[in-house]
Structure formats: structure tokens, C-alpha cells
Amino acid sequence: MMTENRLEKCYGLATELGNRLKAKGWMMTSAESCTGGGVAYCATEIAGSSQWLERSFVTYSNQSKQEMLGVQTSTLEKYGAVSEAVVSEMATGALKHSGAQVSVAISGIAGPGGATETKPVGTVCFGWADIDGQLLVETHYFIGDRKQVREQAIETALQGLTQLLE
């Protein structure tokens, strides 16, 4: 469970996102790995979120990323699951496999293990896509323990969706 301050911030971000989505008549979807459905959790804490949250994919394994979102084996092999190339395919795949108009994809290393020399704990890649062809990808390096990294990733995902709708 999130800390109280982070939970309040999450609800505020999800409420703002929901208002923007409703104003556009759009639905969102998420494709989550290291956050394990945290974006969808924040969204569904808001009453009436069924008006703007279409579905969520929790694709923790590489196999699930391939089967549910259409991530290419070659992309996973070349760049690794925690990469901008993979979240790009996750974000566009989430749109393709849902009825949503906007998506966010998240893959990262929350720790304490899993780090490499080039991808330390706290490395999280994000992809945001919409049906108009916008595709934005970013990599963030968060500081903190597993819980803190995941919380920061959820906040960043919600903020990015809101900004994409501006």
C-alpha cells in the first residue's frame, strides 16, 4: 500500500486525468510491469472511473508482454525488457489490444535485485501513446527502496498521461 501522502497525490492525479479524459470522450489503458497494476489501482479508487478506464494489462514477464501486447521477441532480446524500445511497443500494443484512445506503459527495475551496470535499481522506462499517433518515451532514475520507486513510477505515469492530453 502507498504511503498516505503518495496515495493522496495519486488520487489527485487520477481525478485530474479522469476529468481530462471525460472532457475528450476518451478512455485510457495501462500496460504495467514493475508497477504491477498500480496505475489501474489509483484510477479505480476514483468513483466513476469506469467512464474513462477501459482496461489494464499487467505484463510482468517477457512472455506476457509478447502475448498480450505484441512486443517483439527481437526487441526484448536486443534492448531488454527495461528499455524505451520495449515500452514503446507496450504502449502501442495496449492501444491495439483495447478500446482505449490513450495508453501508458511502464517497465523498470524497482529492486532490490535485477540491476545491471547500465540499468541500476530505480531505472524505469515509460511510454505514452494515443490514437492520433503521438508516442512519447522517457527513462527516469528514481531513488529509494522498491516501494518508493514503484510509487514514483505510478505518479510519473499519471502525470505523463495528463500532459499528453493537454
Side-chain angles (χ1 to χ4, degrees):
M1 182 58 83
M2 296 178 118
T3 60
E4 195 60 38
N5 280 348
R6 289 228 187 252
L7 202 52
E8 293 290 325
K9 187 171 184 179
C10 168
Y11 295 158
L13 290 168
T15 298
E16 180 181 352
L17 173 61
N19 289 336
R20 288 181 189 226
L21 286 163
K22 286 188 293 187
K24 275 187 89 103
W26 280 16
M27 302 281 281
M28 67 158 279
T29 184
S30 63
E32 303 183 57
S33 188
C34 69
T35 50
V39 170
Y41 172 81
C42 283
T44 58
E45 281 294 298
I46 307 303
S49 59
S50 61
Q51 297 173 36
W52 49 271
L53 174 65
E54 203 274 337
R55 73 182 69 182
S56 178
F57 302 89
V58 177
T59 55
Y60 207 68
S61 70
N62 285 351
Q63 183 175 348
S64 65
K65 288 174 182 66
Q66 294 169 299
E67 291 175 1
M68 296 173 73
L69 302 171
V71 173
Q72 299 296 306
T73 303
S74 57
T75 307
L76 286 161
E77 289 173 354
K78 185 173 183 177
Y79 300 102
V82 180
S83 66
E84 291 182 359
V86 167
V87 294
S88 173
E89 290 185 16
M90 288 172 67
T92 56
L95 286 179
K96 182 179 178 183
H97 294 93
S98 72
Q101 292 77 33
V102 65
S103 68
V104 61
I106 309 151
S107 187
I109 303 167
T116 66
E117 195 172 302
T118 57
K119 296 177 185 175
V121 168
T123 304
V124 182
C125 298
F126 298 88
W128 296 273
D130 70 21
I131 58 166
D132 292 333
Q134 285 192 88
L135 176 61
L136 305 170
V137 292
E138 294 178 358
T139 300
H140 290 246
Y141 300 94
F142 299 120
I143 296 172
D145 62 20
R146 181 177 182 80
K147 182 177 179 179
Q148 292 166 327
V149 167
R150 289 165 40 104
E151 289 175 349
Q152 291 170 82
I154 292 165
E155 287 176 19
T156 300
L158 291 167
Q159 288 167 340
L161 280 169
T162 302
Q163 290 170 357
L164 190 70
L165 294 169
E166 288 179 351

